[in-house]
Each structure stands twice: as C-alpha cells, then as structure tokens.
Amino acid sequence: MKLSAIFLVDVGSVNIYQESQQLEMTEGDSATVYIQLRDLAVQTAYQGYKNPGRRYVPAALSTLTVQIDTMNSANLATVTKVCDQPYAQDPSIWRFLLLSTDPIAGTKRLKLTLTEGIKISYGVVNSALLVTPSSFGPAT
Amino acid sequence: MDIDRVFSIRLSIRPLRWAINVLGLYVLLLIGACPAVISNPIPPPVIRILTPAETQKKIQIDFVESELTARLKSNNGAKVRAIAATLVDEAHIGRLDPLFVLAVIEVESNFDVEACSSSKAKGLMQILPSTFASLNPTGSIFDPVENVRAGTRYLVLLGDSFRRPESILMAYNGGPGTTSKYLKAQAEGEEYPISHEMRTYPGKVMANYKRLLAKTGHKPVLAGKLFRIANTPLMVASIDKQP
C-alpha cells in the first residue's frame, strides 16, 4: 500500500464534492480541509480513471494525523493536525481544521500518518497546499 | 378419649389424605413430563415450502452472488450476498431482469467497486453523484449495495421513458435528454450527433446479457410475454425458464 490523498472541495455531502490534487488559499485563512485517502500502489491510469491510485478505506477505529510542512529547509514551521472522519458511510474521507493562526505560507506538503491497529502507514503529498502570503513584507 | 371424638377426628382426616394422594399423583405426573419439556424447549420449526416465485428469486440471487463472487474487485469487505439480494430485489420491484442489470455492471465498471470515471461517475454501476442523490440519498456512492440499488432504480426509471432496451441503455450511458433528441431526429430521418461510446454501449451490454442468459439456460422472452414497467412494454426481462 502506498498511502496518499487528494483534496475534496465544495463538500456538500458524503457523495457531493469536487476532487482536487492541490488546495489554494491565502495565509491567515481558516478552513475545514477535506481529504480522501488514496492507495497509489493500485495503478488505475490505464483504465481511464481520473485520479491516480484507488480510494483507500482504512480499518475501523483508525486514526490519521497530518503534518503540514515545507520541503524548503529554511522554513521549519510544522503544523500537526489530528483528523476526524465526518462521514461514517465513507471512512476514506477525513477532515481537519486549519486555523487563521496556523503559521502556513508558501507551498506546503502533507505528511500523513495512518494508524490502523498495530499497522502504521505513512504517506506524503508533495506541493499539496499553495498558500499565498498575506503580505510580501516591507519593501526594500 | 371417648369414642365419639376419635371417630370425628378420623372423619376429618380422611378427605385430607385423599387430597394429599391426588396432589402427589399430580406432582409425579409433572416430574415425569419434565424431561420432555426440558429436551424440547422450543417448538419444532414449521417447514414452509417456498412459492415458485420465491424459489425463482432464490435461484437468481444464488446465480448473481456466484457471478459477483467470481468477478468483484476491491470489495472492501462488502457482503456479496447483500449486493446480490439488493440487485434481484430492486430488479423485481421494477420488473426488470436481474441479468440485464448484471450485464450493465460488467460494461460500466467491470465489477470494480471503486471505479471512478473521468466524468465523475462512481462505483459498480457508474452512477453520477447527482443521480445517486436523487435516487438514494443515504449511504456512500461507493457502497456496492447502495450503488446497485440506485443504478437499478435508475434503469427502471429510464424504462418509464424509453421503450426499447437499446434506448434505455443509451439513456443510461449518455443521458435521457440526449437520447430523446437522438431518437426524435432518427424518427424524422435526421442525424443527431452522439458519442461513439453512446452508440456502441447498448450493443456491448446486450451481448453480455445474451451471454448471461445462455449461461443460465434462459432465453429472451418473446414480445407477447414481455415484462412491463409502468405499462411500457420492455423487452429485456426474462426470468421464465424456457424449455
């Protein structure tokens, strides 16, 4: 299993949503972020599927934490979020809340840690969050 | 003690003894009956013979279950029997051949529970979320039981609007609006552009349907014995075994 995720936007219900590989927002925004777990080990591109991999349904009572960080080593700020499952009918969907105070700016990646009993899976979604800075700082 | 007093005591004891004897006999009978009661605490089940329709339905569920068991992909632990039972139940409610629904599933998703198309159709029967919501508002679209329920209901619903199975299938694939325009244009001897997929889709499903019918030893029912959906004759329904 190769854990990954896609974003769900305009979520209206367990079945009504748009899928996106990236999420764009502005620094200081608060938002409820919905993600759907994917298993990239299953290649479906040849079958004409829209998103890579396949929806991954974890075992019951699983937990998911998301670390939001950057690949740029100069910016070490990391935000960790514990996710919950908003829809019992579809355990592949998780969500977490981004606060306006969370120090997130620039291009961020998501590091996923999924715990299913004794099995722990890790996944990375690169260039997942594109956060526009709220200001460009003082002019030089 | 005088004789009169003794006699009167004996007189009063005699009915008491008789009552004790009767009670003892009753207790003995009760103890004797106890093992039978303990060994059979639940009355034996009443054996009910299935009606021909029920038998036929059970055979169909068994067949659909065996097909699904052999071909279902990425099932995520869903109960195959539940999917088969839902498929047959919904098909019967809509007076549609369950094998026809099975043939649609084969073309739509090739029995892949997790199938997602580029047009956002999802699950075994490749239902659009908006269509799914209008037919079955509870449950996930990826739940194979709910997906099959909604997909079969949609086929039945299309049977209300379109007469021929090929038209129903065309509408299932390309939408009822486009199909209506296409059929209207065709009736007037005109051309209405539709996609290659929409044009070839009915043929693929019907080929699967005929193969499944052959597998079960069934034949398509002739015009006089058609199933009917909301008073609309529909060709694709054949659950009567032909000799």
Side-chain angles (χ1 to χ4, degrees):
Chain A
M1 204 267 278
K2 191 177 174 189
L3 186 65
S4 184
I6 56 166
F7 292 104
L8 304 182
V9 294
D10 299 332
V11 178
S13 73
V14 64
N15 300 311
I16 306 291
Y17 49 75
Q18 304 294 319
E19 294 162 351
S20 175
Q21 309 272 2
Q22 282 183 325
L23 196 63
E24 290 185 40
M25 54 195 302
T26 304
E27 186 182 6
D29 282 353
S30 63
T32 305
V33 178
Y34 290 81
I35 57 173
Q36 185 174 58
L37 298 182
R38 311 284 297 185
D39 179 5
L40 295 183
V42 188
Q43 292 301 321
T44 53
Y46 66 94
Q47 292 170 325
Y49 289 180
K50 188 184 176 190
N51 291 305
R54 190 180 292 270
R55 189 180 69 113
Y56 181 71
V57 179
L61 304 175
S62 299
T63 58
L64 178 72
T65 54
V66 172
Q67 270 183 293
I68 304 163
D69 70 356
T70 179
M71 291 161 77
N72 180 359
S73 59
N75 184 352
L76 297 175
T78 299
V79 175
T80 303
K81 298 286 178 183
V82 178
C83 302
D84 71 334
Q85 290 167 298
Y87 302 113
Q89 304 98 318
D90 189 347
S92 70
I93 300 175
W94 296 76
R95 73 175 168 197
F96 60 90
L97 188 63
L98 273 183
L99 304 172
S100 57
T101 51
D102 286 332
I104 298 171
T107 303
K108 297 288 178 179
R109 69 178 171 187
L110 298 188
K111 288 160 81 176
L112 312 166
T113 306
L114 178 68
T115 307
E116 300 173 271
I118 56 166
K119 180 184 159 197
I120 300 176
S121 308
Y122 301 96
V124 178
V125 188
N126 286 318
S127 306
L129 279 175
L130 305 178
V131 187
T132 308
S134 54
S135 74
F136 292 112
T140 54
Chain B
M1 191 180 289
D2 63 333
I3 191 75
D4 286 345
R5 187 173 164 76
V6 170
F7 187 70
S8 70
I9 288 169
R10 278 188 180 167
L11 270 179
S12 62
I13 286 173
R14 193 169 290 164
L16 189 67
R17 270 190 187 163
W18 183 80
I20 288 168
N21 285 344
V22 169
L23 191 68
L25 192 65
Y26 180 74
V27 169
L28 279 173
L29 282 171
L30 200 67
I31 290 167
C34 261
V37 172
I38 291 165
S39 63
N40 291 314
I42 302 165
V46 178
I47 296 169
R48 193 172 69 83
I49 296 167
L50 295 176
T51 62
E54 286 171 330
T55 308
Q56 195 179 48
K57 193 172 175 181
K58 189 184 173 302
I59 290 168
Q60 286 181 342
I61 294 173
D62 289 345
F63 178 79
V64 173
E65 185 185 12
S66 69
E67 283 289 307
L68 291 173
T69 303
R71 308 193 60 182
L72 216 55
K73 292 167 194 158
S74 57
N75 189 17
N76 283 331
K79 292 183 178 71
V80 178
R81 185 76 183 175
I83 305 170
T86 304
L87 190 156
V88 173
D89 275 344
E90 291 292 337
H92 276 223
I93 290 167
R95 310 201 73 182
L96 194 67
D97 189 346
L99 297 184
F100 183 68
V101 182
L102 210 55
V104 170
I105 290 174
E106 185 168 359
V107 176
E108 285 291 345
S109 66
N110 198 19
F111 296 94
D112 189 345
V113 172
E114 296 291 330
C116 294
S117 77
S118 53
S119 57
K120 296 174 186 172
K122 292 184 171 84
L124 274 181
M125 293 195 74
Q126 289 291 281
I127 299 276
L128 286 170
S130 52
T131 310
F132 182 85
S134 68
L135 292 161
N136 183 36
T138 58
S140 164
I141 197 166
F142 287 107
D143 180 344
V145 172
E146 298 305 320
N147 194 286
V148 162
R149 194 193 306 281
T152 311
R153 282 180 185 173
Y154 189 47
L155 277 173
V156 171
L157 203 66
L158 293 171
D160 288 342
S161 308
F162 298 97
R163 191 183 173 91
R164 295 175 62 241
E166 285 81 1
S167 308
I168 293 169
L169 291 169
M170 207 174 256
Y172 190 87
N173 180 258
T178 309
T179 305
S180 294
K181 287 173 190 165
Y182 171 76
L183 292 174
K184 192 180 171 192
Q186 214 180 29
E188 292 167 358
E190 293 170 10
E191 270 295 312
Y192 185 84
I194 57 169
S195 67
H196 175 72
E197 186 193 337
M198 194 173 163
R199 203 179 287 275
T200 55
Y201 179 83
K204 289 179 189 170
V205 175
M206 292 309 284
N208 283 340
Y209 179 51
K210 282 170 189 163
R211 187 180 48 74
L212 286 166
L213 284 172
K215 205 170 176 180
T216 54
H218 289 62
K219 288 180 187 171
V221 175
L222 298 174
K225 292 181 179 178
L226 301 181
F227 270 72
R228 295 171 82 84
I229 296 175
N231 300 321
T232 307
L234 188 72
M235 194 198 81
V236 286
S238 150
I239 56 171
D240 292 322
K241 193 161 187 173
Q242 301 287 303

